[in-house]
Each structure stands twice: as structure tokens, then as C-alpha cells.
CSV table of all heavy atoms in Angstrom, one decimal:
chain,number,residue,atom,x,y,z
A,12,ALA,N,294.3,-37.2,187.7
A,12,ALA,CA,294.5,-36.2,188.8
A,12,ALA,C,296.0,-36.2,189.2
A,12,ALA,O,296.5,-35.1,189.6
A,12,ALA,CB,293.7,-36.6,190.0
A,13,ASP,N,296.7,-37.3,189.1
A,13,ASP,CA,298.2,-37.3,189.3
A,13,ASP,C,298.9,-36.2,188.4
A,13,ASP,O,299.9,-35.6,188.8
A,13,ASP,CB,298.8,-38.6,189.2
A,13,ASP,CG,298.4,-39.6,190.2
A,13,ASP,OD1,297.9,-39.1,191.3
A,13,ASP,OD2,298.5,-40.8,190.1
A,14,GLU,N,298.4,-36.1,187.2
A,14,GLU,CA,299.0,-35.1,186.3
A,14,GLU,C,298.9,-33.7,186.8
A,14,GLU,O,299.8,-32.8,186.7
A,14,GLU,CB,298.5,-35.3,184.9
A,14,GLU,CG,299.0,-36.6,184.1
A,14,GLU,CD,300.5,-36.6,183.9
A,14,GLU,OE1,300.9,-36.0,182.9
A,14,GLU,OE2,301.2,-37.1,184.7
A,15,LEU,N,297.7,-33.4,187.3
A,15,LEU,CA,297.3,-32.1,187.8
A,15,LEU,C,298.3,-31.9,189.1
A,15,LEU,O,298.8,-30.8,189.3
A,15,LEU,CB,295.9,-31.9,188.2
A,15,LEU,CG,295.5,-30.5,188.5
A,15,LEU,CD1,295.5,-29.6,187.3
A,15,LEU,CD2,294.1,-30.6,189.1
A,16,ARG,N,298.4,-32.8,189.9
A,16,ARG,CA,299.3,-32.6,191.1
A,16,ARG,C,300.8,-32.4,190.6
A,16,ARG,O,301.5,-31.6,191.2
A,16,ARG,CB,299.3,-33.9,191.9
A,16,ARG,CG,298.0,-33.9,192.7
A,16,ARG,CD,298.0,-35.2,193.7
A,16,ARG,NE,296.7,-35.2,194.4
A,16,ARG,CZ,295.6,-35.9,194.0
A,16,ARG,NH1,295.8,-36.6,192.9
A,16,ARG,NH2,294.5,-35.9,194.7
A,17,SER,N,301.2,-33.2,189.5
A,17,SER,CA,302.6,-33.0,189.0
A,17,SER,C,302.7,-31.5,188.6
A,17,SER,O,303.8,-30.9,188.8
A,17,SER,CB,302.7,-34.0,187.9
A,17,SER,OG,304.0,-33.6,187.2
A,18,LEU,N,301.7,-31.0,187.8
A,18,LEU,CA,301.8,-29.6,187.3
A,18,LEU,C,301.8,-28.7,188.5
A,18,LEU,O,302.6,-27.7,188.6
A,18,LEU,CB,300.6,-29.3,186.4
A,18,LEU,CG,300.5,-27.8,185.9
A,18,LEU,CD1,301.9,-27.5,185.2
A,18,LEU,CD2,299.3,-27.7,185.0
A,19,HIS,N,301.1,-28.9,189.5
A,19,HIS,CA,301.0,-28.1,190.7
A,19,HIS,C,302.4,-27.9,191.4
A,19,HIS,O,302.9,-26.9,191.6
A,19,HIS,CB,300.0,-28.6,191.7
A,19,HIS,CG,299.9,-27.9,193.0
A,19,HIS,ND1,300.4,-28.3,194.1
A,19,HIS,CD2,299.3,-26.7,193.3
A,19,HIS,CE1,300.1,-27.4,195.1
A,19,HIS,NE2,299.5,-26.4,194.6
A,20,ASN,N,303.0,-29.1,191.5
A,20,ASN,CA,304.4,-29.2,192.0
A,20,ASN,C,305.4,-28.4,191.2
A,20,ASN,O,306.3,-27.8,191.7
A,20,ASN,CB,304.8,-30.6,192.3
A,20,ASN,CG,304.0,-31.3,193.4
A,20,ASN,OD1,303.5,-30.6,194.3
A,20,ASN,ND2,303.9,-32.6,193.4
A,21,TRP,N,305.2,-28.6,189.9
A,21,TRP,CA,306.1,-27.9,188.9
A,21,TRP,C,306.0,-26.4,189.0
A,21,TRP,O,307.1,-25.8,189.1
A,21,TRP,CB,305.7,-28.4,187.4
A,21,TRP,CG,306.6,-27.9,186.3
A,21,TRP,CD1,306.5,-26.6,185.8
A,21,TRP,CD2,307.6,-28.6,185.6
A,21,TRP,NE1,307.4,-26.6,184.8
A,21,TRP,CE2,308.1,-27.7,184.7
A,21,TRP,CE3,308.2,-29.8,185.8
A,21,TRP,CZ2,309.1,-28.0,183.8
A,21,TRP,CZ3,309.2,-30.2,185.0
A,21,TRP,CH2,309.7,-29.3,184.0
A,22,LEU,N,304.8,-25.9,189.1
A,22,LEU,CA,304.5,-24.5,189.3
A,22,LEU,C,305.1,-24.0,190.5
A,22,LEU,O,305.6,-22.9,190.6
A,22,LEU,CB,303.1,-24.2,189.0
A,22,LEU,CG,302.5,-24.4,187.6
A,22,LEU,CD1,301.0,-24.2,187.6
A,22,LEU,CD2,303.2,-23.6,186.5
A,23,ARG,N,304.9,-24.7,191.6
A,23,ARG,CA,305.4,-24.3,192.9
A,23,ARG,C,306.9,-24.2,192.9
A,23,ARG,O,307.5,-23.5,193.7
A,23,ARG,CB,304.9,-25.2,194.1
A,23,ARG,CG,303.4,-25.0,194.3
A,23,ARG,CD,302.9,-25.9,195.4
A,23,ARG,NE,303.9,-25.7,196.6
A,23,ARG,CZ,303.5,-25.4,197.8
A,23,ARG,NH1,302.2,-25.3,198.1
A,23,ARG,NH2,304.4,-25.2,198.7
A,24,ALA,N,307.5,-25.0,192.1
A,24,ALA,CA,309.0,-25.0,192.1
A,24,ALA,C,309.6,-23.9,191.2
A,24,ALA,O,310.7,-23.6,191.4
A,24,ALA,CB,309.5,-26.4,191.5
A,25,ALA,N,308.7,-23.3,190.4
A,25,ALA,CA,309.2,-22.2,189.6
A,25,ALA,C,309.2,-20.9,190.5
A,25,ALA,O,308.2,-20.4,190.8
A,25,ALA,CB,308.2,-21.9,188.4
A,26,SER,N,310.4,-20.3,190.7
A,26,SER,CA,310.5,-19.3,191.7
A,26,SER,C,309.8,-18.0,191.2
A,26,SER,O,309.2,-17.3,192.1
A,26,SER,CB,312.0,-18.9,191.9
A,26,SER,OG,312.6,-18.5,190.7
A,27,ASP,N,309.7,-17.7,189.9
A,27,ASP,CA,308.9,-16.5,189.4
A,27,ASP,C,307.5,-16.7,189.8
A,27,ASP,O,306.9,-15.7,190.2
A,27,ASP,CB,309.1,-16.3,187.9
A,27,ASP,CG,310.5,-15.9,187.5
A,27,ASP,OD1,311.3,-15.5,188.4
A,27,ASP,OD2,310.8,-16.0,186.3
A,28,ILE,N,307.0,-17.8,189.6
A,28,ILE,CA,305.5,-18.0,189.9
A,28,ILE,C,305.3,-18.1,191.4
A,28,ILE,O,304.3,-17.4,191.9
A,28,ILE,CB,305.0,-19.3,189.3
A,28,ILE,CG1,305.1,-19.1,187.7
A,28,ILE,CG2,303.6,-19.7,189.7
A,28,ILE,CD1,305.0,-20.4,186.9
A,29,ARG,N,306.1,-18.8,192.1
A,29,ARG,CA,306.0,-18.9,193.6
A,29,ARG,C,306.1,-17.5,194.3
A,29,ARG,O,305.3,-17.2,195.2
A,29,ARG,CB,307.1,-19.8,194.1
A,29,ARG,CG,307.0,-20.2,195.6
A,29,ARG,CD,308.0,-21.2,196.1
A,29,ARG,NE,309.4,-20.6,195.9
A,29,ARG,CZ,310.3,-21.1,195.1
A,29,ARG,NH1,310.1,-22.2,194.4
A,29,ARG,NH2,311.5,-20.6,195.1
A,30,ARG,N,306.9,-16.6,193.8
A,30,ARG,CA,307.1,-15.2,194.4
A,30,ARG,C,305.8,-14.4,194.1
A,30,ARG,O,305.6,-13.5,194.9
A,30,ARG,CB,308.3,-14.5,193.9
A,30,ARG,CG,309.6,-15.0,194.6
A,30,ARG,CD,310.7,-13.9,194.2
A,30,ARG,NE,310.9,-13.8,192.8
A,30,ARG,CZ,311.8,-14.6,192.1
A,30,ARG,NH1,312.5,-15.5,192.7
A,30,ARG,NH2,311.9,-14.4,190.8
A,31,SER,N,305.1,-14.6,193.1
A,31,SER,CA,304.1,-13.6,192.6
A,31,SER,C,302.7,-14.2,192.6
A,31,SER,O,301.8,-13.5,192.1
A,31,SER,CB,304.4,-13.1,191.3
A,31,SER,OG,304.4,-14.1,190.3
A,32,SER,N,302.5,-15.4,193.1
A,32,SER,CA,301.1,-16.0,193.1
A,32,SER,C,301.0,-17.0,194.2
A,32,SER,O,302.0,-17.5,194.8
A,32,SER,CB,300.9,-16.5,191.7
A,32,SER,OG,301.8,-17.6,191.4
A,33,TRP,N,299.8,-17.3,194.4
A,33,TRP,CA,299.4,-18.4,195.4
A,33,TRP,C,298.7,-19.5,194.6
A,33,TRP,O,297.8,-19.2,193.9
A,33,TRP,CB,298.5,-17.9,196.5
A,33,TRP,CG,299.3,-16.8,197.3
A,33,TRP,CD1,299.9,-17.1,198.4
A,33,TRP,CD2,299.5,-15.4,197.0
A,33,TRP,NE1,300.4,-15.9,198.9
A,33,TRP,CE2,300.2,-14.9,198.1
A,33,TRP,CE3,299.1,-14.6,196.0
A,33,TRP,CZ2,300.6,-13.6,198.1
A,33,TRP,CZ3,299.5,-13.3,196.0
A,33,TRP,CH2,300.3,-12.8,197.1
A,34,LEU,N,299.1,-20.7,194.8
A,34,LEU,CA,298.6,-21.9,194.1
A,34,LEU,C,297.9,-22.8,195.1
A,34,LEU,O,298.4,-23.1,196.1
A,34,LEU,CB,299.7,-22.7,193.5
A,34,LEU,CG,300.5,-22.0,192.3
A,34,LEU,CD1,301.8,-22.7,192.1
A,34,LEU,CD2,299.7,-22.0,191.0
A,35,THR,N,296.6,-23.3,194.7
A,35,THR,CA,296.0,-24.2,195.5
A,35,THR,C,295.3,-25.3,194.6
A,35,THR,O,295.0,-24.9,193.4
A,35,THR,CB,294.9,-23.6,196.3
A,35,THR,OG1,293.9,-22.9,195.5
A,35,THR,CG2,295.4,-22.6,197.4
A,36,LEU,N,295.2,-26.6,195.1
A,36,LEU,CA,294.5,-27.5,194.4
A,36,LEU,C,293.1,-27.5,194.8
A,36,LEU,O,292.9,-27.5,196.1
A,36,LEU,CB,295.1,-28.9,194.6
A,36,LEU,CG,296.4,-29.2,194.0
A,36,LEU,CD1,297.1,-30.4,194.5
A,36,LEU,CD2,296.3,-29.3,192.5
A,37,GLN,N,292.1,-27.4,193.9
A,37,GLN,CA,290.7,-27.4,194.3
A,37,GLN,C,290.0,-28.7,193.9
A,37,GLN,O,290.4,-29.3,192.8
A,37,GLN,CB,290.0,-26.3,193.5
A,37,GLN,CG,290.6,-24.9,193.8
A,37,GLN,CD,290.4,-24.5,195.2
A,37,GLN,OE1,289.3,-24.5,195.7
A,37,GLN,NE2,291.4,-23.9,195.8
A,38,GLU,N,289.2,-29.1,194.7
A,38,GLU,CA,288.4,-30.4,194.5
A,38,GLU,C,286.9,-30.1,194.0
A,38,GLU,O,286.4,-29.1,194.4
A,38,GLU,CB,288.2,-31.2,195.8
A,38,GLU,CG,289.5,-31.9,196.3
A,38,GLU,CD,289.2,-32.8,197.5
A,38,GLU,OE1,288.1,-32.8,198.0
A,38,GLU,OE2,290.2,-33.4,197.9
A,39,GLN,N,286.5,-31.0,193.1
A,39,GLN,CA,285.1,-31.0,192.9
A,39,GLN,C,284.4,-31.8,194.0
A,39,GLN,O,285.0,-32.7,194.5
A,39,GLN,CB,284.8,-31.5,191.5
A,39,GLN,CG,285.1,-33.0,191.3
A,39,GLN,CD,284.9,-33.4,189.9
A,39,GLN,OE1,284.0,-32.8,189.2
A,39,GLN,NE2,285.6,-34.4,189.4
A,40,PRO,N,283.1,-31.5,194.3
A,40,PRO,CA,282.4,-32.3,195.4
A,40,PRO,C,282.4,-33.8,195.0
A,40,PRO,O,282.3,-34.1,193.8
A,40,PRO,CB,281.0,-31.7,195.4
A,40,PRO,CG,281.1,-30.5,194.6
A,40,PRO,CD,282.3,-30.5,193.7
A,41,PRO,N,282.4,-34.7,196.0
A,41,PRO,CA,282.3,-36.1,195.7
A,41,PRO,C,280.9,-36.5,195.1
A,41,PRO,O,279.9,-35.9,195.5
A,41,PRO,CB,282.5,-36.8,197.1
A,41,PRO,CG,282.2,-35.7,198.1
A,41,PRO,CD,282.5,-34.4,197.4
A,42,GLU,N,280.9,-37.4,194.2
A,42,GLU,CA,279.7,-38.1,193.7
A,42,GLU,C,279.1,-38.9,194.8
A,42,GLU,O,279.8,-39.4,195.7
A,42,GLU,CB,280.0,-38.9,192.5
A,42,GLU,CG,280.6,-38.1,191.3
A,42,GLU,CD,279.5,-37.2,190.7
A,42,GLU,OE1,278.3,-37.6,190.7
A,42,GLU,OE2,279.8,-36.0,190.3
A,43,PRO,N,277.8,-39.2,194.7
A,43,PRO,CA,277.2,-40.1,195.7
A,43,PRO,C,277.9,-41.4,195.7
A,43,PRO,O,278.2,-42.0,194.6
A,43,PRO,CB,275.7,-40.2,195.3
A,43,PRO,CG,275.5,-39.1,194.4
A,43,PRO,CD,276.9,-38.7,193.8
A,44,GLY,N,278.3,-41.9,196.9
A,44,GLY,CA,279.0,-43.2,197.0
A,44,GLY,C,280.6,-43.1,197.0
A,44,GLY,O,281.2,-44.0,197.3
A,45,GLN,N,281.0,-41.9,196.6
A,45,GLN,CA,282.5,-41.7,196.7
A,45,GLN,C,283.0,-41.3,198.1
A,45,GLN,O,282.2,-40.6,198.8
A,45,GLN,CB,282.9,-40.6,195.7
A,45,GLN,CG,282.9,-41.0,194.3
A,45,GLN,CD,283.5,-39.8,193.4
A,45,GLN,OE1,283.2,-38.7,193.7
A,45,GLN,NE2,284.1,-40.2,192.3
A,46,MET,N,284.2,-41.6,198.3
A,46,MET,CA,284.7,-41.3,199.7
A,46,MET,C,285.2,-39.9,199.8
A,46,MET,O,285.2,-39.3,200.8
A,46,MET,CB,286.0,-42.2,199.9
A,46,MET,CG,285.7,-43.7,200.1
A,46,MET,SD,284.7,-44.0,201.6
A,46,MET,CE,286.0,-43.8,202.8
A,47,GLY,N,285.6,-39.3,198.7
A,47,GLY,CA,286.0,-37.9,198.7
A,47,GLY,C,286.0,-37.2,197.3
A,47,GLY,O,285.6,-38.0,196.4
A,48,GLY,N,286.2,-36.0,197.2
A,48,GLY,CA,286.1,-35.3,196.0
A,48,GLY,C,287.4,-35.6,195.1
A,48,GLY,O,288.4,-36.1,195.6
A,49,LEU,N,287.3,-35.2,193.9
A,49,LEU,CA,288.4,-35.3,192.9
A,49,LEU,C,289.1,-34.0,192.7
A,49,LEU,O,288.4,-33.0,192.5
A,49,LEU,CB,287.9,-35.9,191.6
A,49,LEU,CG,287.3,-37.3,191.6
A,49,LEU,CD1,286.8,-37.6,190.2
A,49,LEU,CD2,288.3,-38.4,192.0
A,50,VAL,N,290.4,-34.0,192.8
A,50,VAL,CA,291.1,-32.8,192.5
A,50,VAL,C,291.0,-32.5,190.9
A,50,VAL,O,291.3,-33.4,190.2
A,50,VAL,CB,292.6,-32.9,192.9
A,50,VAL,CG1,293.4,-31.7,192.4
A,50,VAL,CG2,292.7,-33.2,194.3
A,51,ASP,N,290.5,-31.3,190.6
A,51,ASP,CA,290.3,-31.1,189.2
A,51,ASP,C,290.8,-29.8,188.7
A,51,ASP,O,290.7,-29.5,187.5
A,51,ASP,CB,288.8,-31.3,188.8
A,51,ASP,CG,287.9,-30.2,189.3
A,51,ASP,OD1,288.2,-29.5,190.2
A,51,ASP,OD2,286.9,-30.0,188.7
A,52,VAL,N,291.3,-28.9,189.5
A,52,VAL,CA,291.7,-27.6,189.0
A,52,VAL,C,292.9,-27.0,189.9
A,52,VAL,O,292.8,-27.3,191.2
A,52,VAL,CB,290.6,-26.6,189.0
A,52,VAL,CG1,290.0,-26.2,190.3
A,52,VAL,CG2,291.0,-25.3,188.2
A,53,ILE,N,293.8,-26.4,189.3
A,53,ILE,CA,294.8,-25.6,190.1
A,53,ILE,C,294.2,-24.2,190.0
A,53,ILE,O,294.0,-23.6,189.0
A,53,ILE,CB,296.2,-25.6,189.5
A,53,ILE,CG1,296.7,-27.1,189.5
A,53,ILE,CG2,297.1,-24.7,190.2
A,53,ILE,CD1,298.0,-27.2,188.8
A,54,GLN,N,294.1,-23.5,191.2
A,54,GLN,CA,293.7,-22.2,191.3
A,54,GLN,C,294.9,-21.4,191.6
A,54,GLN,O,295.6,-21.6,192.5
A,54,GLN,CB,292.6,-22.0,192.3
A,54,GLN,CG,292.0,-20.6,192.2
A,54,GLN,CD,290.8,-20.5,193.2
A,54,GLN,OE1,291.1,-20.2,194.4
A,54,GLN,NE2,289.7,-20.7,192.8
A,55,LEU,N,295.2,-20.3,190.7
A,55,LEU,CA,296.3,-19.5,190.9
A,55,LEU,C,295.7,-18.1,191.1
A,55,LEU,O,294.9,-17.6,190.3
A,55,LEU,CB,297.2,-19.6,189.7
A,55,LEU,CG,298.3,-18.6,189.6
A,55,LEU,CD1,299.6,-19.4,189.2
A,55,LEU,CD2,298.1,-17.5,188.5
A,56,VAL,N,296.2,-17.4,192.2
A,56,VAL,CA,295.8,-16.0,192.4
A,56,VAL,C,297.1,-15.2,192.4
A,56,VAL,O,298.0,-15.5,193.1
A,56,VAL,CB,295.1,-15.8,193.7
A,56,VAL,CG1,294.8,-14.3,193.9
A,56,VAL,CG2,293.8,-16.6,193.7
A,57,THR,N,297.2,-14.2,191.5
A,57,THR,CA,298.4,-13.5,191.3
A,57,THR,C,298.4,-12.2,192.1
A,57,THR,O,297.4,-11.7,192.6
A,57,THR,CB,298.5,-13.1,189.8
A,57,THR,OG1,297.5,-12.1,189.6
A,57,THR,CG2,298.4,-14.3,188.9
A,58,ASP,N,299.6,-11.7,192.3
A,58,ASP,CA,299.7,-10.3,192.8
A,58,ASP,C,300.2,-9.4,191.6
A,58,ASP,O,300.3,-9.9,190.5
A,58,ASP,CB,300.6,-10.2,194.0
A,58,ASP,CG,302.1,-10.4,193.7
A,58,ASP,OD1,302.5,-10.4,192.6
A,58,ASP,OD2,302.8,-10.6,194.7
A,59,ASN,N,300.5,-8.2,191.9
A,59,ASN,CA,300.8,-7.2,190.8
A,59,ASN,C,302.1,-7.5,190.1
A,59,ASN,O,302.3,-7.0,189.1
A,59,ASN,CB,300.8,-5.8,191.4
A,59,ASN,CG,299.4,-5.4,191.7
A,59,ASN,OD1,298.4,-5.9,191.2
A,59,ASN,ND2,299.3,-4.4,192.6
């Protein structure tokens, strides 16, 4: 998951991407007995 966070930060630092899209880290639901979910995807929504 740290690699996904690293990529998220990298993409947010890229001005072309930052200006034309919105980036969020999405979690999968926690497994029984886990304290929280795991970050498993970067969701990017673009504009025109």
C-alpha cells in the first residue's frame, strides 16, 4: 500500500495531472478482525 501512496503523491505533484483531474485513494472494506480497510486503488476523475 505504501507504493500506491507513493504513486498518488507522484501524480498529485504532476501539474498537468493536478490541473485536469481529481485523485483519491480508495479503500477496500476491512476483513473481519481488521482495524480498517486497505488502500488498494487510486481513483482519477478527469475533466475535458
